[in-house]
Amino acid sequence: MDYPNDQAPGAPIRSGIPEHGRIPKYYAVKARIAVLLDELGEGGLLPTERELAQLHEVSRETVRQALRELLLEGRLRRQGRGTVVAGPKLEQPLSLASYTEGVRRQGRRPGRNLIGLDRFPCPEVLAAEVGVERGEPVWHLERVLLADDERVGLESTYVGVGRVPDLDTAFDPDSSFYAYLRDALGISFGDADERIETVLATPREALLIGTPPALPMLLIHRLSRDTDGRPLERVRTLFRGDRFSFSAHLRGEGQG
């Protein structure tokens, strides 16, 4: 197989073109529009569907399909009645660092909008995960995640009331929960188990995040423990698939 000399290592092999050389018309248009996005730069206004169809001598439906894929990939975003070039995706490390720390490292301003903070008797299915007995009180903290005031995710945190009794009065819901545990309560995270999957948001979730229901989401389930190995929290976080990527540093067996 021939590899173009200028192909980036992370790009699709042969730019995604099959060996037989026949590619769908929309994909060829998508590749040309992608070049235009690099020329326009972040925030640049894309020509209308009609203008793009005339420029590339294809139907508007062909252009529409190309734009749909670029929107899902996070290369474009809607702004008012137009479409503009999106900025780079937020890269969130797969670590015990908080969302706040991950966003700040990229020069963005983290934030959260509180949806609800509820207290209820813990069901059996959740008890072992947060280290309480069935029926003991637990908190459910639900917040929309922001980056520079853009809604990028939705987070649900479950934690025993016994571990954080004053969560409803002493905690600022726009701040980092991990920083509150560390600084106010002296609780440090020891380790966690995480599972990542791709899902579609429910209608309620899509409305809260402000995305179409068909937009793919990255869903992370996290079970965290403190430095003594005691279960601490269960977190369910949805991240917009068009605005987030995840990174991790892996080590070989026997190293550390």
Side-chain angles (χ1 to χ4, degrees):
M1 179 183 293
D2 295 328
Y3 291 84
N5 292 330
D6 59 350
Q7 178 171 304
I13 300 301
R14 298 183 73 238
S15 299
I17 300 173
E19 276 67 14
H20 55 55
R22 298 187 298 273
I23 62 173
K25 186 178 293 185
Y26 87 88
Y27 191 88
V29 173
K30 174 187 171 183
R32 296 182 202 134
I33 294 176
V35 174
L36 175 61
L37 302 187
D38 293 334
E39 296 173 355
L40 290 173
E42 182 178 350
L45 182 64
L46 199 69
T48 65
E49 286 183 2
R50 176 175 294 180
E51 291 169 336
L52 289 170
Q54 292 174 345
L55 175 65
H56 299 295
E57 299 181 337
V58 295
S59 69
R60 290 183 64 177
E61 179 53 38
T62 297
V63 169
R64 197 169 294 129
Q65 186 173 357
L67 295 181
R68 273 197 298 265
E69 288 205 357
L70 290 167
L71 281 162
L72 288 174
E73 292 172 3
R75 298 292 307 277
L76 296 171
R77 61 182 174 86
R78 301 293 189 192
Q79 182 171 290
R81 300 184 66 182
T83 303
V84 300
V85 181
K89 289 187 177 183
L90 288 159
E91 184 177 316
Q92 187 77 353
L94 291 173
S95 69
L96 278 172
S98 71
Y99 169 78
T100 298
E101 295 166 350
V103 172
R104 280 180 178 160
R105 274 201 294 265
Q106 296 168 78
R108 305 287 294 275
R109 187 178 72 258
R112 296 167 179 82
N113 286 339
L114 178 66
I115 301 303
L117 175 58
D118 303 307
R119 172 175 169 157
F120 60 94
C122 186
E124 186 172 355
V125 68
L126 182 62
E129 295 181 338
V130 296
V132 303
E133 296 294 329
R134 179 176 179 267
E136 289 186 14
V138 293
W139 293 114
H140 173 225
L141 174 66
E142 185 178 35
R143 299 180 291 176
V144 172
L145 303 177
L146 308 174
D148 291 341
D149 296 324
E150 178 187 13
R151 290 178 284 175
V152 294
L154 181 66
E155 180 183 77
S156 287
T157 301
Y158 300 88
V159 62
V161 172
R163 300 298 299 273
V164 284
D166 300 321
L167 190 64
D168 57 338
T169 57
F171 173 63
D172 176 6
D174 186 39
S175 66
S176 167
F177 179 59
Y178 286 13
Y180 170 72
L181 292 177
R182 181 185 64 241
D183 300 337
L185 302 177
I187 298 175
S188 297
F189 285 83
D191 66 287
D193 296 318
E194 286 192 336
R195 177 167 57 88
I196 304 175
E197 57 184 307
T198 304
V199 299
L200 296 178
T202 66
R204 176 181 179 272
E205 292 167 338
L207 183 63
L208 289 172
I209 303 173
T211 59
L215 180 71
M217 296 281 178
L218 295 169
L219 172 60
I220 292 188
H221 298 275
R222 173 183 282 191
L223 298 176
S224 304
R225 291 168 288 273
D226 63 19
T227 51
D228 294 325
R230 296 171 58 197
L232 181 56
E233 62 159 4
R234 189 203 198 287
V235 184
R236 180 186 189 275
T237 311
L238 277 175
F239 291 99
R240 288 178 53 162
D242 64 335
R243 300 303 300 132
F244 267 91
S245 64
F246 291 90
S247 62
H249 175 69
L250 307 178
R251 304 180 67 179
E253 292 184 10
Q255 298 184 40

